[in-house]
Amino acid sequence: MGVKGLQYFMEHCCPESCVTVNLRDMARRHLSSDNTTSPTLVVDGMACLRHWYTCKDWVCGGQWKEYMSILSRWIERFTSAGIKLVFFFDGVVEEKKRAEWVKRRRRVNGEVSEVFRYIKLHGEQPGKHLFCLPSGLATFTCFALRSLDQKVFCSVQEADYEIACYARRHGCMGILGQDSDFIIYDSSPYLSVAKLHLDHLTTVVYDQQRLCRAIGLYVSQLPLLACLLGNDVVPKERMHTIRNNAMAVYRKKNVGAPQELMVFALSEFISSLCGREEKDTGLIPQSLNLPAADRFLLEKGIRSYLLPGQDTLQQDDTPPPTSGLGFEKYVSPEILKACKEQHVSAEGFMVYNVVCEGLLECSNSLEDEEEDELPPQAVIYKPCRQHIYGLLLLNGDDDNGAEEPPAIREWFVYPGNPLKEPHMVQPVPVNFPCERPSLHVLWFGSGPDVSTLRLTSFFSIFDCQEFAEWYGVVEDSLLAALCLVTHIVLQVPSLCSEDVNAYLSQAVCLSLKSPQELQQIKLPFLCTRAVQLGSLYVRGLSHLLGANCASGCPLPSTAFMPWHSFDGRLFHSKYLLAHSATEENVLLDNHQPSLSLFIQLRKKLLEVCKTRNRVLQSRPRPNRLDQSHRTQYRDGHRARISGVDDNWRARGAATAGGWRERGQSSGGNGREAAQQMQGHRRGERGLYFHSHSRPPAIDVKMSSQPDQPHSRRHPSRGRYQLAPRWGQPPGHGAQAHPNREHRGAED
């Protein structure tokens, strides 16, 4: 966001204020000075996402293994130069910026629609002019950086402000980002990530002092200049008259001055208003005649730039008050404290926003507004969010006088939602098979019984309690994938067995593929339905992460990271194969251990669906592109993998997708091997890192016979209504039906 036109002005009208610097040299100078701190850059993570995600494929859901490699190399360039990195990410959207947030989300919705139209017309990914970041990139990047041993913070107020505060307090070498607000803060030098040349570690610093000398202002007057130009607090149109008057006066003295010189005009205007005694205060000059409302808004805008201790208008370093909706009555002070600590350290997800703010938001996803069978992800995952809210707010140590907590305000972007106001979503109790535990027990308790309660809580949120038996039997990431795919099947009537085969086969095969192999996957064409299913899966992983945090972390957060269970290009490949009547062994790359694991996962999924009266049917989706392309792709894939069978078998004997086969020997006693593997698993932890024992693992017999082929009948396809069809999604407990337009409370 930032200050309107300021960075353009510095680059084009005041180039002497834009200085190319070498970060290695800056680090050396920092060490040679009197600084007692190591050279540190504070990185605006949100501004870097587009520069980090340079993977060729983005529309299929994200190339997450490749992305991890990119992040690792990026960090290595700085650490090899002796530069420490500290990352900040937006943790909240402040209400003063909600209108701008909504405006951007609507604009991106239009761009997403263009993406789908392009794919339908050309059958391929559009160019950079329609580039969209993969769903959930910011959320999972926080965890990716932590896994790479980086310090990561998630903000509880305006992230720019927290970044500037941190850099000033710790004497950091600079701020790396792409926001002109950093020119205004009196903090560390602002370095451009857009102009960063990683190979040489050079970039451009927007020099605040040189700017002030060029325009004739003090640093303390820059906040007023920023507000008159227009920023996130003061809308540009509110100061339209002042800017026009300033420009008119400036043009009388400088005939023919272009509009780009507005910064010079306003600077001259500010200087003419300010007396000597006002120049160092940053206050609004009394001679500036403004209506009371505009003066109040200007003062608010100036305050937003003042860091602790900078003058009489300073704001302290405490975060703003929470929503004030009374959510604190439903959790203990210990829970509130733990929520904030986990949020700030980027170890948690969702719980802080729900418990402390009473609000949750989700940005744009790749969803086709013309798709009439797949509901938006906001609708599909609403039941599990309601259970998460219920677990957090209805599981206190007492009943609070049987008073129900307020509804959670949801700002979720999806086709048909005008974003005029938040949807009010009520918490729903989690259906425990035993007595409902308190949240305090789930988060801070210890012992095997509590471990079992945590697992039960997590799987109950998705109505998949049966999967708790498989904990310790399959890899955590595969167990999470199984839970997620089952939930999608239960919530989306149009999902078919081919879709499930694509989801599960790519999750099983992913562990055997390197980032380079994933990049080399050839796709003959793209299918918009597969694009939306890929984005839906990644959004689901974030819901799994939120449910895990709410349940006291029965599973490690790594289980929900997409680089362990999803790759967009691999999924798209499996989707096209599955819908081309490909044999299962070919779908699983002729790798027998993977095939056995895939069959068992699918069998368990079908068992759970059967108990919920959900019959999964076969419905191959012929693509609008020529059938010969699909047949050639299927046959070509079969031919490719047939030449590498031996290689797969050699590599897969040790990895095999992660299945812990009980009682089956591979050079030793199978049960002993399984027990030994259990001993090497990381210790379980609760949300607050209390060590406690794991629940006993349950043996699952592996079948050597594949399931019977699914029926090839094609049931009649119902049709969802187009927008505003999703404006009022079904309430909790009601599955969306293809022939029904839901009319109820907005979510």
Side-chain angles (χ1 to χ4, degrees):
M1 297 183 183
V3 183
K4 311 299 182 185
L6 180 58
Q7 201 155 297
Y8 177 89
F9 168 82
M10 293 181 70
E11 293 173 350
H12 295 86
C13 304
C14 188
E16 66 272 19
S17 64
C18 303
V19 183
T20 299
V21 294
N22 185 291
L23 296 179
R24 290 181 184 272
D25 294 339
M26 284 186 68
R28 294 189 190 101
R29 288 195 297 271
H30 184 94
L31 284 172
S32 63
S33 66
D34 294 333
N35 288 303
T36 58
T37 59
S38 59
T40 302
L41 285 179
V42 189
V43 182
D44 182 355
M46 300 300 293
C48 293
L49 291 176
R50 284 182 175 266
H51 303 281
W52 285 334
Y53 193 87
T54 56
C55 310
K56 180 180 178 181
D57 189 294
W58 50 269
V59 81
C60 293
Q63 301 303 107
W64 295 94
K65 277 193 173 183
E66 181 184 353
Y67 181 60
M68 284 293 291
S69 300
I70 292 171
L71 285 179
S72 180
R73 291 194 299 270
W74 196 89
I75 292 169
E76 173 59 26
R77 292 296 300 169
F78 289 92
T79 55
S80 64
I83 300 173
K84 179 182 176 183
L85 300 173
V86 176
F87 298 87
F88 275 81
F89 287 83
D90 289 331
V92 295
V93 176
E94 294 188 322
E95 286 308 307
K96 66 183 180 183
K97 295 189 175 183
R98 181 63 63 188
E100 183 66 26
W101 185 87
V102 168
K103 181 180 178 181
R104 288 191 172 201
R105 302 287 72 76
R106 288 174 175 166
R107 188 192 73 231
V108 174
N109 263 349
E111 295 170 356
V112 169
S113 297
E114 291 185 46
V115 169
F116 280 99
R117 283 194 292 269
Y118 185 95
I119 295 173
K120 290 172 185 176
L121 183 62
H122 301 284
E124 62 183 17
Q125 178 176 280
K128 293 182 179 180
H129 66 292
L130 288 177
F131 173 78
C132 294
L133 292 174
S135 297
L137 190 68
T139 297
F140 294 115
T141 298
C142 292
F143 289 89
L145 292 170
R146 281 181 53 82
S147 72
L148 295 171
D149 299 322
Q150 298 302 298
K151 181 177 287 188
V152 185
F153 293 102
C154 202
S155 70
V156 295
Q157 55 188 121
E158 173 58 46
D160 293 350
Y161 176 81
E162 291 194 14
I163 289 170
C165 283
Y166 185 96
R168 179 181 173 89
R169 183 186 306 120
H170 295 278
C172 294
M173 186 178 82
I175 295 171
L176 184 63
Q178 202 62 35
D179 193 320
S180 52
D181 277 334
F182 295 126
I183 301 170
I184 308 300
Y185 287 113
D186 188 6
S187 182
S188 298
Y190 161 42
L191 305 160
S192 170
V193 69
K195 299 182 182 300
L196 173 66
H197 293 278
L198 196 60
D199 291 342
H200 306 290
L201 280 185
T202 61
T203 187
V204 168
V205 61
Y206 293 92
D207 194 299
Q208 186 185 67
Q209 295 295 334
R210 294 190 183 205
L211 171 66
C212 287
R213 287 196 294 270
I215 62 179
L217 291 181
Y218 289 86
V219 171
S220 61
Q221 294 172 321
L222 290 180
L224 177 57
L225 173 66
C227 293
L228 293 179
L229 285 169
N231 57 16
D232 300 335
V233 179
V234 184
K236 186 176 182 180
E237 56 271 14
R238 287 290 289 269
M239 299 297 143
H240 179 72
T241 301
I242 290 179
R243 288 196 305 276
N244 282 351
N245 291 340
M247 196 66 194
V249 172
Y250 186 78
R251 279 179 168 166
K252 286 181 180 179
K253 301 177 182 178
N254 303 273
V255 179
Q259 190 68 23
E260 299 88 69
L261 300 185
M262 176 64 74
V263 175
F264 280 128
L266 281 175
S267 299
E268 189 173 285
F269 172 72
I270 293 171
S271 296
S272 69
L273 294 175
C274 294
R276 181 177 299 276
E277 71 282 357
E278 295 174 314
K279 287 184 177 179
D280 292 325
T281 66
L283 295 171
I284 302 173
Q286 293 298 322
S287 54
L288 180 57
N289 295 319
L290 286 173
D294 286 351
R295 179 173 287 273
F296 175 79
L297 186 62
L298 265 184
E299 182 174 311
K300 183 180 179 182
I302 291 174
R303 285 180 183 273
S304 69
Y305 289 111
L306 301 178
L307 306 180
Q310 288 192 331
D311 76 9
T312 56
L313 284 179
Q314 74 181 57
Q315 52 189 33
D316 59 31
D317 204 17
T318 59
T322 56
S323 60
L325 296 177
F327 288 91
E328 65 277 1
K329 295 190 300 183
Y330 302 93
V331 295
S332 67
E334 294 83 5
I335 294 293
L336 287 172
K337 181 174 181 290
C339 278
K340 182 179 177 182
E341 289 178 355
Q342 294 289 322
H343 174 86
V344 169
S345 61
E347 295 181 75
F349 178 72
M350 193 183 293
V351 293
Y352 171 84
N353 303 77
V354 172
V355 172
C356 299
E357 300 292 329
L359 177 146
L360 196 65
E361 60 235 338
C362 182
S363 187
N364 307 79
S365 300
L366 281 177
E367 297 178 321
D368 185 3
E369 65 179 1
E370 297 178 355
E371 169 60 59
D372 51 6
E373 288 189 338
L374 289 177
Q377 59 92 10
V379 177
I380 293 171
Y381 297 122
K382 179 185 175 183
C384 75
R385 289 198 304 278
Q386 289 183 285
H387 277 145
I388 292 172
Y389 305 157
L391 188 65
L392 292 171
L393 301 174
L394 303 179
N395 276 36
D397 296 319
D398 54 63
D399 292 331
N400 297 297
E403 179 185 352
E404 291 189 1
I408 303 298
R409 295 167 293 149
E410 286 192 349
W411 289 94
F412 274 62
V413 184
Y414 59 88
N417 182 8
L419 295 174
K420 292 182 178 179
E421 57 186 15
H423 291 158
M424 308 304 291
V425 180
Q426 292 290 341
V428 172
V430 176
N431 184 22
F432 281 96
C434 55
E435 183 179 354
R436 187 182 72 188
S438 71
L439 193 61
H440 196 277
V441 168
L442 285 175
W443 282 26
F444 303 112
S446 60
D449 292 342
V450 176
S451 300
T452 301
L453 282 175
R454 290 190 179 111
L455 279 173
T456 302
S457 300
F458 172 77
F459 288 112
S460 295
I461 287 173
F462 300 93
D463 193 22
C464 296
Q465 299 89 331
E466 295 90 333
F467 293 150
E469 299 176 349
W470 275 26
Y471 179 68
V473 178
V474 297
E475 288 291 338
D476 293 334
S477 58
L478 285 178
L479 185 58
L482 178 62
C483 175
L484 176 55
V485 176
T486 304
H487 179 78
I488 296 174
V489 171
L490 294 176
Q491 295 298 318
V492 184
S494 64
L495 215 72
C496 61
S497 60
E498 287 79 11
D499 301 327
V500 169
N501 290 347
Y503 273 141
L504 295 182
S505 63
Q506 73 89 33
V508 169
C509 292
L510 181 61
S511 63
L512 298 175
K513 294 186 181 294
S514 68
Q516 293 72 28
E517 289 172 314
L518 294 169
Q519 294 174 47
Q520 293 169 5
I521 293 175
K522 304 298 182 184
L523 299 175
F525 55 84
L526 296 185
C527 170
T528 55
R529 188 170 181 275
V531 167
Q532 185 161 338
L533 286 176
S535 180
L536 174 64
Y537 184 94
V538 177
R539 284 294 188 201
L541 288 175
S542 67
H543 282 75
L544 290 175
L545 183 60
N548 192 60
C549 293
S551 303
C553 294
L555 298 174
S557 60
T558 53
F560 313 106
M561 298 300 109
W563 47 90
H564 290 308
S565 71
F566 183 83
D567 178 88
R569 203 165 185 83
L570 180 61
F571 169 72
H572 216 98
S573 169
K574 299 300 183 185
Y575 179 92
L576 297 179
L577 290 170
H579 282 273
S580 300
T582 302
E583 300 91 339
E584 288 179 353
N585 64 314
V586 176
L587 189 63
L588 275 297
D589 299 331
N590 280 344
H591 186 241
Q592 190 57 43
S594 295
L595 177 60
S596 299
L597 175 56
F598 164 80
I599 290 172
Q600 289 292 21
L601 293 175
R602 187 181 60 188
K603 182 178 180 181
K604 186 65 176 179
L605 180 150
L606 294 175
E607 289 175 356
V608 172
C609 289
K610 185 176 181 180
T611 63
R612 299 345 184 239
N613 297 318
R614 171 68 163 97
V615 179
L616 194 65
Q617 297 177 327
S618 173
R619 298 176 65 182
R621 307 276 176 151
N623 192 275
R624 66 166 189 82
L625 296 179
D626 189 89
Q627 174 69 25
S628 63
H629 287 288
R630 298 166 60 239
T631 303
Q632 291 173 9
Y633 179 57
R634 178 195 60 202
D635 295 343
H637 181 81
R638 182 189 296 115
R640 284 194 300 275
I641 65 172
S642 64
V644 294
D645 283 354
D646 294 339
N647 183 43
W648 282 120
R649 292 190 180 96
R651 293 174 55 192
T655 53
W659 182 268
R660 300 194 174 96
E661 303 189 39
R662 304 278 178 173
Q664 294 193 15
S665 175
S666 59
N669 182 277
R671 182 169 297 277
E672 290 178 357
Q675 291 172 349
Q676 183 180 12
M677 192 177 297
Q678 278 287 94
H680 287 290
R681 289 169 59 91
R682 65 179 67 81
E684 186 187 20
R685 58 171 187 158
L687 182 66
Y688 228 52
F689 302 100
H690 281 279
S691 299
H692 44 272
S693 60
R694 293 175 174 267
I698 305 297
D699 285 350
V700 176
K701 302 298 183 182
M702 291 194 62
S703 170
S704 60
Q705 297 297 326
D707 292 349
Q708 295 299 316
H710 297 293
S711 169
R712 291 292 179 182
R713 292 184 297 108
H714 293 263
S716 60
R717 299 183 184 180
R719 313 294 279 182
Y720 277 100
Q721 300 296 316
L722 290 176
R725 65 194 187 282
W726 305 121
Q728 300 178 5
H732 172 73
Q735 288 190 5
H737 190 280
N739 294 319
R740 184 184 307 143
E741 181 178 0
H742 300 281
R743 302 197 180 277
E746 290 186 339
D747 77 335

